[in-house]
Every structure is written in C-alpha cells, then in structure tokens.
Amino acid sequence: MMSAHDASPFATISRDEELGKKDDDHKPGKRSMAWSPRVQPHLQKRSAKRLTIGAFVLLAFYLFFKNMPTDLQQPRTRPHYQRGSGPTKTIQTKPSAPSPVIDKERASQPASSARPEAPVHDYGGPIKFYKLAATLHAASNTMGSQSVNRNVLFAAASLKSAAILLPFACEMAGQERNYVHFALMGRDDISMDLLRTVNGVTKECDVMFHDARPDFSPISSDFRMKVSVSAGFSHINTYINPQATIIDGSGEEDGFFVKGLKGRAQILGRTIIELPENAEESMLWLTRLDSASLSAWDKARVDMLIHAPPTSSGSLIRLLNSLKQADFYSSAPPRLTIDLPHDVDEPTRRYLETFKWPPKTDSKTGSLLSLHHRIPQRGLTPEENSIRFLETFWPADPFSSHVLVLSPQTELSPLFFHYLKYSILEYKYSANKYDGHENMLGISLELPEVFLDDKTKFEPPFNNNSHSGESPVVTSFLWQSPNSNAALYFGEKWVELHDFVSHLLSSQHLLPTPATLNKKLISKSYPSWLEHILKLARTRGYTMLYPNFRNTEALATMHTELYQAPEEYAEELEPEDSGSILTADPARQLRILQKQKETTLARKSLLSILPFEGTLPQLLDVPIISFDGKQTDNIKLSNEALEYSKVFRREIGGCEDEAEVKSQVRLKSGDLFCLNEGSS
C-alpha cells in the first residue's frame, strides 16, 4: 500500500494516462452519444466581445480607404532646428555651435553605397559667426581701433588659395614690420589647427588666425556665403582696421568670396591686393613692405614716355618688344606715349599699325597707347625740343602720377616694373620714410658707365656704413645727376620742372648771358631738356636714386650699335660723335667703348638680385654723390644748393643781391626768379 508522501505529481499523471487508455478501450454501453467538452458560460461572453470589436475595426478600415483623398503630393522633408540656429546637417566642432544629428538612413547603407555625396548649397538662413569674436578680441593689442596702424590681412575662402597665401603671410610676419592676420572665410569645415598643419605653419609663424566662416557654411547658398564674406570683413575691419587686404588672384578663389570682399572693401575704402599666378616666385618682395606702403598699392600710377628720333625703327621696335614681355602682375598697365618725328620710316609705321598696348586688353582697360606726331619738318633748336618734350606729359595728381622716360636704345628687364613699384611704395609711402625723400627727383633703372660729360668713367660707390670688420657692400645710391635713358621722375618734380623751364626760357630772352652758369655741363649726346633738370637739381639739392646690384644682372641695358644723336644737336656733332668707332681721341674712345658695353637683363626674381636679402636700404644709409662725382652727405649737399641758388638767382633769376629771398612754394620755382614779381 502506498503512503501519502509517495503520491507525487508525476505518479498522478501516470495513473490518469492509464485510466484514459482503459476508458478508450471500453465499448459504448451506458452512453449513447459521442463525447463533447463542456462549455462554460464566461467563455461564451468573451468570444462575443471579440467579434464585436473586430467588426468595428473592419468597418473603420473600410471607411478610411473608401474616403482617402487621391490628390496629395509627396510631402517635403522639413529640417529640424535646434536653439533657433539652422538645420542639423552641419558638423560643428565647438560646443557653442548646434550639435550634429546623424543621418540613420545613410549610416545603415552598405559600404558600397556609403560614398559621401556633394552637399547641396541651398541654405539661406541667418548668419552667425561663432568663432570670430574670440580671436578679434584677442588682437586688441594691434591698435586696430586707430585708423592708421600696422595691421595687414590675408584672406581666403578656397583651401588652394589659403595654401598660396600662408607662405606670404608667414614671410611678412618674419620681417616684423606689420601685424599679420589670416582669415578663412569659405565653405570647407576644416579646423584651423589642421589648416596650419597641412600647410606647414609652425609656431615660428607669428600670424594671427581668424575663423570667419559662418554657421552651416558647407550647405550655404552662394548668396549667403557672399553676404557672409561681406559681413565677416566688416567685423574684421571694425576690430583690426587692416591697412591692406591680400587675396589670391590666380583664379583658384571662389567667386562669392571675391565679389563679397571687393564690394565691401570698396564701400569701406580699403585696399585690396590680388596676387597673380606664380606670385611666390616673382612677388615675394611684397612681404618686405610695411602697412603704410601696402595701403598705397593703387595710388601710384606710372606713364611711359618714349621719344623716337628719325630712322630709329630697329631700336624702337626692340624697346617696345621688351615692354610687351614685362611683368606688370596685378597692377594696372601704365599708359604709353610715343613721340614720333615728322618723317616716320616705313618699318616703324608698319609695326605700329599692329602694335597694341597693353598687349592683353579688356573692356575695362581698353587701349592705353597714345601717338604724338611732330608737324615741323626742319630741325628743332634745343629750346624748342625741351618745350616739346616736357609738354608731352602732365600729371593729373602730382603726388601719385609719375612718368618713366625711355630712350629707344634701351632694352628693359621683365622685372623693371616690379622694382619701380617696390621702390615707389617704400620710399614715398612707407611709415619709416624720412624727410629726405622729398629731395628725390626720381628713380633710375640704368646704372651709367660714364658721367654726363660723356668722357669720365663712373664708378658706383659702396656702402661704408657696414659693421666693423665687414667689407663695404654693394648698395643703391643717390646721385645729383639726372638720367634720360631709363628713369622715372616723380610727378611733383615734373610739375616744378615745368614751372622752372618756363621762368628759365623767359630769362634767356630778357637777361644777358650768365657770367659763370653759362657753361654746358652735359654732353650733346644727351637731349637738351636734361640740362634744365640738372640746374633744378643743383638749386634745390635734388638727387636721383640709382640701382646697384650684387651681380652682373641689370634692369636696363643700353644698345649703341644703332645710336643716334639728339635731333637738336645732330648737325653740330661730328660723325664719330654719333657712334662711329673710327676715332683716335682717347676720351671719345672711352665713351664709345662704355656705351657698347651691354649687361645681362634680370629675368628670374627681384629678390635674387637685390642686396640685403631683398630689403631696400633706408635713404639715410645710402651713399650720396654730387653731380661731379664727389661723395657727400645731406648737410653738405644742402649747403652747396644754398650757395648755388644765390648765384643762380643773381645771374639767371634777375634778382639783386640785396633783394629779399622769397619763400619756396611747393611745385613752384618762383622764389629763384625776380623777372615777374607778381608770379609765385
């Protein structure tokens, strides 16, 4: 018999199974109907409730699909905004900017289709500069609140343009003349640290970087980016007031950047400098200029003046061809005036028929060529020639418009305009200029081999201001001697020369021949107007800057195989004076041999030929030579000018010894003459 604790669930299940089997084996006897389960009352109620709910659901679906509208369009995806900023497609790196939202659909795509698509530039929301304010405030020590300061800005939108500009910015910062800034204003979301790294910018590069990109720049429309560049430049101008802004002009820059920056700069009156293609090879001298010089980039303008004697087609064509090969970089090409004789030879006429200046013209520039033709057929006197030549040019603004006088026997280096622009900006507009620049007549491109008497050999001076133990170095120098072969004359001096010659010609007709100042100091192989400039230079103490390079390359070379004497002296000079080698006079032989000496023209880089690693010396440090070749200084030269002017006023100016000396008026020479007391 089984005890109670032995009755387990497993034993109960076993007995029920056995009973079930035996019951199945019984034949029906007591029960006449088949077996059916017992239906409980609560189960019947639950089934009825479910049937009712299902019927309502089916009816709802039927009514929805029957009455669903069929004219709906595909819904437009609405961007998600956070904190009033913009769509969350932009990747931001700072916590202050809106956080990114990951596109789950793109993340779930297979690797083969996960290639990034170009962003659509269609966002035009409000603009915010999240990263600009901090760096602008940090630059407060650069005195940006002052209208005149030392700040220079490099700006770029394209990463290619940034790679071009950054070496220039670092080089300029290394000169320690300016506070140099760099602003990135484009679409790329590269970090500023990565930008510096990929371009090799190290800690030694003392450039202040500014992130002037707007929020959501990668998806911004061109118009939004243009407005962003304009607004960003306005903010930069408010805080650092850049004296000049340097951008890439090689064609790599984004269009919205160029339009936005130039438009705003024009409104603000700011200087924009565009670096041309391959600027790193030819325009590194720009990094040596200070902010004051760079701000005057577009102020200085140059006109070129060529006086063509008769039968000079070979020399003239060679000079014009060298001008066509010159590099004017991003500056406006100078105007060109050719003064033709009455009889123009056939080769010159045919050449000028197809000659265009500038060589590449556009709708904005047009033709800058002017031809002057002389009517008189007879030979000109020295007086007539001087008047005719000087009247060929008149500066619109004496302090910014200058003239480059060229002789047909000159051939120019492609770099000549680089040197002129560099020297003009440094010596006339630099913040470090001293009053001595007021006494500069101009800048010569030629280093003469002989004095103006055309007999004595000239040896350029060395710089004796070098440190102890160092040998004298080659340097530019100031010489009281003018030049007619290849020289730029400043506009204010040209205006004064006009007034001086006007009084001088009147004196020649009214007064007797001077007792001591009548001697001609300049050879007749030079044009007669040069004598007038020498007189003006001696009365005022003016000098001209002459180049002297450390190698044999030059900015201008003279060809004498086709040399012709000036028209006003052609009949007076003997045949050998016009360039013939058949002479036994040692002095004339020396002059001819020196004239036949030609130098190699510089073609590579301006910095490669300039001394002092391309830095122009200060005028206080360069040697000064009087007209007769004696080395002097500013004080001695000023005293000599004072003594010469006393004699000049008495013999040529018609002034009495006891007459009161009139005050000098800028651009005028009336203080040297007493012929018309009413004139100034």
Side-chain angles (χ1 to χ4, degrees), residues 249-300:
S250 65
E252 297 289 349
E253 195 53 271
D254 294 323
F256 65 80
F257 170 80
V258 176
K259 293 178 182 178
L261 189 69
K262 284 187 174 181
R264 180 57 60 176
Q266 184 176 8
I267 295 174
L268 297 174
R270 290 300 171 198
T271 300
I272 299 294
I273 302 174
E274 294 185 75
L275 296 183
E277 188 176 2
N278 299 324
E280 65 277 5
E281 299 178 2
S282 60
M283 290 195 64
L284 206 58
W285 54 265
L286 177 144
T287 62
R288 269 62 172 173
L289 294 171
D290 65 7
S291 60
S293 295
L294 293 172
S295 68
W297 184 265
D298 296 322
K299 292 181 180 179

Side-chain angles (χ1 to χ4, degrees), residues 96-403:
S96 58
S99 61
V101 174
I102 301 176
D103 191 337
K104 295 182 179 180
E105 294 182 0
R106 293 185 180 180
S108 62
Q109 292 179 354
S112 60
S113 62
R115 187 173 300 169
E117 299 179 357
V120 179
H121 302 147
D122 58 358
Y123 177 59
I127 297 172
K128 295 183 182 296
F129 299 96
Y130 285 101
K131 305 174 185 178
L132 182 58
T135 55
L136 290 181
H137 285 296
S140 60
N141 61 335
T142 62
M143 298 178 292
S145 60
Q146 301 181 10
S147 59
V148 178
N149 55 57
R150 295 169 54 196
N151 290 321
V152 176
L153 174 67
F154 288 80
S158 165
L159 294 184
K160 291 183 179 179
S161 297
I164 294 174
L165 294 178
L166 282 173
F168 275 85
C170 292
E171 181 70 20
M172 181 178 291
Q175 303 300 318
E176 298 182 349
R177 300 188 72 181
N178 304 309
Y179 294 119
V180 184
H181 305 257
F182 179 87
L184 187 62
M185 313 178 81
R187 280 197 177 103
D188 296 275
D189 56 359
I190 184 174
S191 68
M192 300 300 283
D193 289 337
L194 182 57
L195 178 70
R196 285 190 284 261
T197 301
V198 297
N199 287 283
V201 178
T202 61
K203 294 181 179 179
E204 287 73 22
C205 177
D206 192 17
V207 174
M208 287 166 272
F209 284 80
H210 305 281
D211 191 342
R213 293 171 291 183
D215 54 345
F216 311 108
S217 56
I219 58 173
S220 296
S221 65
D222 284 353
F223 178 74
R224 185 176 190 263
M225 290 303 300
K226 177 183 174 182
V227 175
S228 168
V229 170
S230 178
F233 185 72
S234 293
H235 292 311
I236 293 173
N237 181 74
T238 300
Y239 282 90
I240 68 173
N241 207 346
Q243 304 298 286
T245 300
I246 302 173
I247 64 175
D248 174 29
S250 65
E252 297 289 349
E253 195 53 271
D254 294 323
F256 65 80
F257 170 80
V258 176
K259 293 178 182 178
L261 189 69
K262 284 187 174 181
R264 180 57 60 176
Q266 184 176 8
I267 295 174
L268 297 174
R270 290 300 171 198
T271 300
I272 299 294
I273 302 174
E274 294 185 75
L275 296 183
E277 188 176 2
N278 299 324
E280 65 277 5
E281 299 178 2
S282 60
M283 290 195 64
L284 206 58
W285 54 265
L286 177 144
T287 62
R288 269 62 172 173
L289 294 171
D290 65 7
S291 60
S293 295
L294 293 172
S295 68
W297 184 265
D298 296 322
K299 292 181 180 179
R301 297 187 178 276
V302 176
D303 283 37
M304 297 187 298
L305 178 57
I306 301 174
H307 174 68
T311 63
S312 61
S313 59
S315 299
L316 178 62
I317 292 173
R318 179 176 52 208
L319 171 60
L320 295 178
N321 285 336
S322 69
L323 287 177
K324 291 197 297 184
Q325 297 174 4
D327 181 15
F328 296 101
Y329 44 96
S330 60
S331 295
R335 287 185 300 229
L336 174 61
T337 300
I338 303 177
D339 188 23
L340 297 171
H342 176 76
D343 296 321
V344 181
D345 54 19
E346 186 64 18
T348 300
R349 186 187 62 80
R350 290 198 306 266
Y351 182 85
L352 293 177
E353 284 179 354
T354 58
F355 179 75
K356 295 181 179 180
W357 186 261
K360 297 180 180 179
T361 59
D362 52 38
S363 57
K364 294 182 179 180
T365 305
S367 176
L368 298 177
L369 175 64
S370 177
L371 299 179
H372 287 190
H373 179 254
R374 189 171 69 250
I375 294 178
Q377 300 186 35
R378 60 178 177 81
L380 296 175
T381 65
E383 179 180 317
E384 293 172 336
N385 182 76
S386 299
I387 295 174
R388 180 175 62 88
F389 180 79
L390 294 176
E391 288 178 344
T392 310
F393 171 75
W394 181 260
D397 182 358
F399 301 101
S400 62
S401 182
H402 318 293
V403 59

Side-chain angles (χ1 to χ4, degrees), residues 409-424:
Q409 62 204 43
T410 305
E411 184 180 7
L412 296 174
S413 161
L415 304 178
F416 86 90
F417 200 73
H418 287 249
Y419 177 76
L420 284 180
K421 188 73 172 273
Y422 185 20
S423 300
I424 292 173

